[in-house]
Amino acid sequence: MRAAIEFVGDFFYLLLDTLRAIMPALSNGRGRVLAWRNIWMQMNRIGVESIPIVCLVMFCIGAILAMQIAPELARFGIVPVTADVVALATFREMGPLVSAVVMTGFGGAAIAAEIGTMVVGEEIEAMEAMAIDPIRFLVVPRVLAGMVMMVCLTVLGDLAAMFGGLVASALLLHLGALQYVHHALAILKVGDFLTGLVKAGVFGVLITAIACFLGLKVRGGAEGVGLNTSKTVVFTIVALIVVDLIFTSVFFYLGV
Amino acid sequence: MSEPLIQLQGICKSFGDTRIYHDLNLDIFPGETLVIMGGSGSGKSTLLRVLMGQLKIDAGNVLIRGRTLDEMNRGELDSWRKSVGVLFQSGALFNSMTLRENLALPVREHTDLDDETIDLMVQIYLQLVGLREHIDKLPAELSGGMKKRGGLARALMMQPRILFYDEPTAGLDPVSTAQIDELIMNLKNKMGATSVVVTHDMQSAFKLADRLALLFDGKFAAVGSVEEFRTTTNPLVRQFVDGRLEGPFVNPSDQCSYKAQLLGRKINEVPHGQKTT
Ligand SMILES: Nc1ncnc2c1ncn2[C@@H]1O[C@H](COP(=O)(O)OP(=O)(O)O)[C@@H](O)[C@H]1O
Ligand SMILES: [Mg+2]
């Protein structure tokens, strides 16, 4: 228990240090070009690989949702409402969450393994000894890239899921595409879209920060790297769900 | 003698139950080359970490030009670190970067020099350690000795006046060893660099050192000039210098603990009351 609290405490310290390092990293004269280039590189690495997977998975989820819900709705004679349900579930919940899980598998694990290997190879120590702050140099670009890419991934995933729902509806439920789109657009409010994206941004920070944190915490050779890489995936998924719950309850109370 | 550059005063440090240092004292003077010897696991690499302010100590003080390391603020600590070049035991090159990028990094981060100038410096320092033809290789494509020389070149990029070398010649062939020794000598003679060299290699140690220090059982068991080390009758130093098997120097982590294990006894009940892990 004590260990768990210390762990979470340490993690928040890292988050705090990261926040503190963001402005200097992006604005101080010389490091600026490097920092932006670094962020761009990380965005490519963390996010781009996940795009096809997120689209595929979200397409399937959209179709699954439609097929699960339609029979229920058919009993009340309101099959077109399928589009409403798919849209709300996707934009508010499934889009950010599923994209985050995929990014955890790709980006999170890769970051933890990479930074862990750097710890084992004395690279982090060397960096410190050269007066280069590993938080500023390694963590900040990854966290920022994670945040931006998570938002992008979620938008793509949302669209893919809507398309999946549309295909399933058209093929199996004899729901016209136009009617589907019409329904979806009618039900979605800007708030649904935004709450999803806010969540996505926070998830992006969470995934990359946990990965960096556990990467930096690696001890004892290749074994430690493997251990912390799998820990990263498990802890991140738990953290994602818990944070999601918190967000959802807050949105629930606020009525957005 | 002049004011010491670095002073270690009563340093104590444990990792969990493992005591690495208790009451470590040493002064390091500007311009000298101090060689630190000691068995594997005696805490030589850890000592360099302490000197760089990368590791909290349990008790005692590290003074840099009279200023306590613990009390330095971020800026002071950074400028201390920038003034020191460190060659890590493994070279510690960044594996995701080529040699060129590795060497350029500290200068890019800390100065306003333009890219062409930096690239020129990179080539000069790689030439110095004989790696210029490998400039665009990744560390994974280099041998252990080449990595170490690359690490050395990187440590020199900021033109430090203080250099820490962690086993610079361990695992190198005799010719490379001689080259590295030569380089360390030159840095000292031409730039008046202050060097702390951790090494097991007696030949290098005697060639390089102004003074030697032997780390044993958490303390400096002996500190003295090359002459003093050659002629001393201190059995510990004799055993280490002559590389003999019998003597007071036992590798703390093997003999005692396995005896204790075999006998199923507590470690501190082991004969000759040696305090170990
Ligand atoms: N971060 C650490 N945590 C726990 N133990 C450590 C740590 N760093 C070093 N040690 C232990 O301290 C001892 C000295 O290590 P080191 O300074 O690397 O020895 P060496 O003299 O061979 O360079 C070793 O027993 C090592 O296991
Ligand atoms: Mg060592």
Side-chain angles (χ1 to χ4, degrees):
Chain A
M1 189 62 204
R2 200 197 142 96
I5 292 172
E6 259 175 36
F7 183 87
V8 174
D10 282 356
F11 175 66
F12 276 104
Y13 270 115
L14 176 86
L15 271 183
L16 219 67
D17 283 345
T18 308
L19 282 180
R20 230 181 265 138
I22 286 180
M23 278 326 286
L26 297 184
S27 60
N28 90 45
R30 177 69 198 188
R32 195 170 45 207
V33 185
L34 278 177
W36 284 108
R37 206 187 301 160
N38 215 338
I39 292 176
W40 183 247
M41 240 176 60
Q42 293 300 331
M43 280 169 56
N44 265 315
R45 222 188 54 147
I46 301 170
V48 175
E49 277 180 4
S50 310
I51 291 176
I53 308 291
V54 165
C55 289
L56 175 67
V57 171
M58 288 304 293
F59 177 90
C60 297
I61 286 185
I64 292 168
L65 276 175
M67 286 186 281
Q68 291 277 19
I69 293 156
E72 236 13 72
L73 297 176
R75 287 201 302 152
F76 301 101
I78 46 170
V79 173
V81 175
T82 305
D84 303 32
V85 178
V86 172
L88 285 180
T90 299
F91 278 83
R92 296 191 69 104
E93 188 58 52
M94 297 311 273
L97 192 61
V98 172
S99 309
V101 170
V102 173
M103 196 204 259
T104 304
F106 270 109
I111 290 174
E114 180 199 25
I115 294 187
T117 310
M118 294 182 75
V119 170
V120 172
E122 294 183 309
E123 290 182 39
I124 306 289
E125 270 173 51
M127 210 172 262
E128 278 175 356
M130 290 192 274
I132 299 173
D133 179 14
I135 303 277
R136 179 175 63 79
F137 193 76
L138 295 174
V139 180
V140 167
R142 282 165 179 73
V143 169
L144 289 181
M147 188 171 78
V148 174
M149 285 317 285
M150 228 359 260
V151 172
C152 300
L153 276 179
T154 301
V155 172
L156 292 177
D158 286 346
L159 295 176
M162 290 313 293
F163 185 60
L166 183 145
V167 170
S169 304
L171 294 182
L172 304 169
L173 313 174
H174 311 295
L175 182 62
L178 266 181
Q179 205 182 0
Y180 177 94
V181 172
H182 184 74
H183 260 265
L185 288 180
I187 189 82
L188 280 176
K189 297 188 303 282
V190 179
D192 299 320
F193 189 61
L194 286 187
T195 54
L197 293 193
V198 168
K199 262 205 253 187
V202 173
F203 287 173
V205 171
L206 205 58
I207 293 167
T208 43
I210 292 180
C212 291
F213 177 64
L214 284 169
L216 287 172
K217 261 189 154 356
V218 163
R219 292 291 171 270
E223 208 178 323
V225 176
L227 184 70
N228 277 22
T229 304
S230 49
K231 260 194 198 167
T232 298
V233 175
V234 177
F235 286 9
T236 306
I237 289 176
V238 173
L240 286 173
I241 305 280
V242 171
V243 169
D244 195 1
L245 175 67
I246 295 170
F247 262 104
T248 309
S249 9
V250 170
F251 291 149
F252 180 81
Y253 273 108
L254 295 178
V256 281
Chain B
M1 248 198 233
S2 52
E3 286 287 295
L5 177 66
I6 302 169
Q7 290 168 278
L8 299 172
Q9 299 177 337
I11 310 286
C12 298
K13 173 76 193 171
S14 305
F15 288 115
D17 293 336
T18 315
R19 201 177 54 188
I20 310 290
Y21 311 125
H22 65 112
D23 200 23
L24 201 64
N25 293 288
L26 186 71
D27 289 349
I28 301 170
F29 294 93
E32 78 169 337
T33 300
L34 177 80
V35 170
I36 295 181
M37 297 179 295
S40 299
S42 60
K44 304 182 298 299
S45 302
T46 307
L47 185 63
L48 297 185
R49 242 164 257 154
V50 169
L51 292 179
M52 294 306 285
Q54 293 179 286
L55 195 69
K56 275 230 152 326
I57 47 179
D58 303 335
N61 276 319
V62 180
L63 301 181
I64 309 292
R65 298 190 184 90
R67 181 109 173 77
T68 308
L69 199 56
D70 270 348
E71 288 168 4
M72 287 189 182
N73 59 32
R74 188 81 237 171
E76 287 174 290
L77 188 60
D78 277 353
S79 62
W80 161 241
R81 286 175 177 177
K82 275 184 243 174
S83 69
V84 182
V86 184
L87 170 56
F88 283 83
Q89 206 164 345
S90 61
L93 291 170
F94 302 119
N95 280 304
S96 59
M97 304 181 191
T98 62
L99 263 184
R100 189 197 296 270
E101 291 163 340
N102 260 288
L103 266 70
L105 181 68
V107 185
R108 269 211 188 117
E109 283 282 313
H110 294 310
T111 72
D112 285 325
L113 296 175
D114 59 88
D115 286 349
E116 274 141 70
T117 314
I118 295 176
D119 202 60
L120 208 62
M121 287 172 64
V122 169
Q123 303 210 25
I124 291 170
Y125 280 105
L126 281 180
Q127 177 69 39
L128 191 68
V129 297
L131 287 177
R132 199 154 74 91
E133 63 269 39
H134 304 293
I135 188 162
D136 284 316
K137 285 194 180 157
L138 289 168
E141 302 169 83
L142 303 175
S143 73
M146 287 154 103
K147 280 184 203 166
K148 231 171 223 183
R149 284 187 278 156
L152 180 56
R154 188 182 64 185
L156 297 176
M157 283 294 285
M158 291 292 289
Q159 277 134 12
R161 304 291 304 276
I162 306 163
L163 286 149
F164 295 166
Y165 308 88
D166 196 347
E167 306 196 12
T169 55
L172 298 193
D173 61 86
V175 177
S176 306
T177 301
Q179 276 170 352
I180 298 262
D181 286 347
E182 186 70 27
L183 209 60
I184 296 177
M185 295 285 273
N186 276 339
L187 288 168
K188 173 206 157 100
N189 295 335
K190 294 194 181 136
M191 294 175 25
T194 309
S195 317
V196 176
V197 186
V198 168
T199 186
H200 287 302
D201 184 340
M202 281 301 139
Q203 235 183 334
S204 302
F206 283 137
K207 193 157 66 175
L208 298 173
D210 296 319
R211 283 195 307 150
L212 298 118
L214 179 63
L215 189 58
F216 177 75
D217 195 24
K219 290 188 174 104
F220 283 114
V223 181
S225 67
V226 173
E227 224 18 67
E228 284 164 342
F229 261 64
R230 273 197 218 278
T231 54
T232 184
T233 50
N234 180 335
L236 198 68
V237 176
R238 282 263 61 85
Q239 188 195 355
F240 206 86
V241 170
D242 302 341
R244 272 185 294 110
L245 215 49
E246 319 82 39
F249 177 86
V250 223
N251 206 341
S253 55
D254 31 271
Q255 252 136 353
C256 289
S257 56
Y258 99 63
K259 236 182 224 173
Q261 265 177 4
L262 289 184
L263 300 175
R265 283 199 278 160
K266 285 225 178 85
I267 290 162
N268 53 16
E269 287 169 22
V270 158
H272 49 241
Q274 190 134 55
K275 296 209 179 69
T276 60
T277 45

